[in-house]
Amino acid sequence: MPYVNIKITREGATAEQKAALIAGVTELLVTVLNKNPATTFVVIDEVDLDNWGIAGQSVTQLRQQQSS
Amino acid sequence: MPYVNIKITREGATAEQKAALIAGVTELLVTVLNKNPATTFVVIDEVDLDNWGIAGQSVTQLRQQQSS
Amino acid sequence: MPYVNIKITREGATAEQKAALIAGVTELLVTVLNKNPATTFVVIDEVDLDNWGIAGQSVTQLRQQQSS
Amino acid sequence: MPYVNIKITREGATAEQKAALIAGVTELLVTVLNKNPATTFVVIDEVDLDNWGIAGQSVTQLRQQQSS
Amino acid sequence: MPYVNIKITREGATAEQKAALIAGVTELLVTVLNKNPATTFVVIDEVDLDNWGIAGQSVTQLRQQQSS
Amino acid sequence: MPYVNIKITREGATAEQKAALIAGVTELLVTVLNKNPATTFVVIDEVDLDNWGIAGQSVTQLRQQQSS
């Protein structure tokens, strides 16, 4: 009965890529812990760059510095 | 002081339905655990069908198979 | 496919009370949104009083003030 | 390696205000617990007023009552 | 900068199994989305059987029925 | 009505340090967004070193390498 929440920045991940994450993490839980895939949930959250911070700055700020 | 997070697929839940979830879960916490409703929070997240997986597939994929 | 996370302070909720929360919130999602209970998950987190804050103080601090 | 999730109602917080939250909470973790800012994550979720409940009502409902 | 939270029932997952989940989900995010592993976080929560519900019952209740 | 969840590794943070995090993050939300502290919640999760991963390894593994 695992529940997995994956948070990534919102940068155009495709439906195919998100399906690959869902398939891959479900298979991982089957392989490592013998979990039942039928009751394995995966929820992907895509987070705006203004709303994600690392090292005390938003990703928006970090990208602006890297590109300048 | 409970905090409740309800995640559902984004499929057109109305404001009235979401208000019913908020009222119902708050009442449940009062009834079962005598919690104070004034400090009971409920946050509802609506998740796109591409971003919710079960049984190793996205809900988008599962719906396509069911309808074909 | 709902997922519900209920966070409460750790103050001796019994297994029966937790089962009542699980049954009640699952029934609520069936009634309000016609969700399938077989794929409705509920996870209850019990949080130590030192680790829960409201109004800028931990619950431990608030209880000490109320009892003094 | 702290991870901080801040949930607020979606009411027009600006990129500058969100950057101030990210900077402030990261600095707090450095000051209080000597955490490394380079591996401190902050994720801000902005929640629609229909989707946030307190005291058994959505914020939308509470605002309507306060203004009437 | 992904953040992944894996919730499983507390049933004796070993440190090696948890390390395999961490390695596997990090590799998945590198492969599918080209994420930087250095800033990929994984947090595993192990949840007591009384605190996890599915189909309106706690896992404790479900296991008792299956074994009787 | 903000809700803040702070996840840190379980390494002996004291009740005083946790109270300082609660006070500091509540004050930050008042200062930056004029939020009402009376309805600001903070929940701190302390995570075992085996259950926190970064760069594809658990913190337990990373500490062993650093000390060897």
Side-chain angles (χ1 to χ4, degrees), chain A:
Chain A
M1 272 156 294
Y3 168 82
V4 181
N5 179 228
I6 299 175
K7 290 188 198 293
I8 53 175
T9 42
R10 189 189 303 280
E11 304 184 76
T14 65
E16 287 69 27
Q17 288 172 319
K18 292 188 276 193
L21 290 179
I22 290 167
V25 77
T26 303
E27 188 184 340
L28 182 70
L29 283 153
V30 173
T31 305
V32 175
L33 290 175
N34 199 29
K35 294 294 184 184
N36 180 0
T39 51
T40 297
F41 281 12
V42 183
V43 171
I44 299 169
D45 292 325
E46 295 174 275
V47 177
D48 290 342
L49 302 191
D50 282 347
N51 290 21
W52 193 302
I54 181 167
Q57 294 192 287
S58 73
V59 176
T60 304
Q61 293 173 312
L62 290 166
R63 296 278 168 85
Q64 285 171 343
Q65 292 167 13
Q66 287 167 355
S67 65
S68 68

Side-chain angles (χ1 to χ4, degrees), chain F residues 25-55:
Chain F
V25 78
T26 304
E27 188 184 339
L28 181 70
L29 284 154
V30 172
T31 305
V32 175
L33 290 175
N34 199 30
K35 294 293 184 185
N36 180 0
T39 50
T40 297
F41 282 11
V42 184
V43 171
I44 300 169
D45 292 325
E46 296 173 274
V47 177
D48 291 342
L49 302 190
D50 282 347
N51 290 22
W52 194 301
I54 182 167

Side-chain angles (χ1 to χ4, degrees), chain A residues 41, chain B residues 6-14 17-18 21 44-49 52 59 63, chain C residues 1-4 23 25-41, chain E residues 55-56:
Chain A
F41 281 12
Chain B
I6 299 175
K7 289 187 197 294
I8 54 175
T9 42
R10 191 188 303 278
E11 304 184 76
T14 65
Q17 289 173 319
K18 292 188 276 194
L21 291 179
I44 300 169
D45 292 326
E46 297 174 273
V47 177
D48 290 342
L49 302 191
W52 194 300
V59 176
R63 296 278 167 85
Chain C
M1 274 156 292
Y3 169 82
V4 180
V25 78
T26 304
E27 187 184 340
L28 182 69
L29 283 154
V30 173
T31 305
V32 175
L33 290 176
N34 199 29
K35 294 294 184 186
N36 180 1
T39 51
T40 297
F41 282 12

Side-chain angles (χ1 to χ4, degrees), chain D:
Chain D
M1 275 156 290
Y3 169 82
V4 180
N5 179 227
I6 300 175
K7 289 186 197 294
I8 54 175
T9 42
R10 190 189 304 278
E11 305 184 75
T14 64
E16 288 70 25
Q17 288 173 319
K18 291 187 277 193
L21 291 179
I22 290 167
V25 77
T26 304
E27 188 185 339
L28 181 69
L29 284 154
V30 173
T31 306
V32 175
L33 290 175
N34 199 29
K35 293 294 183 185
N36 180 1
T39 51
T40 296
F41 281 14
V42 184
V43 171
I44 300 171
D45 292 325
E46 296 174 274
V47 178
D48 290 342
L49 302 191
D50 282 347
N51 290 21
W52 193 301
I54 181 168
Q57 294 192 286
S58 73
V59 176
T60 303
Q61 293 173 313
L62 290 167
R63 295 279 166 84
Q64 286 171 341
Q65 292 166 14
Q66 287 167 357
S67 66
S68 66

Side-chain angles (χ1 to χ4, degrees), chain E residues 18-32:
Chain E
K18 292 188 276 193
L21 291 179
I22 290 167
V25 77
T26 303
E27 187 184 339
L28 182 69
L29 283 154
V30 173
T31 305
V32 175

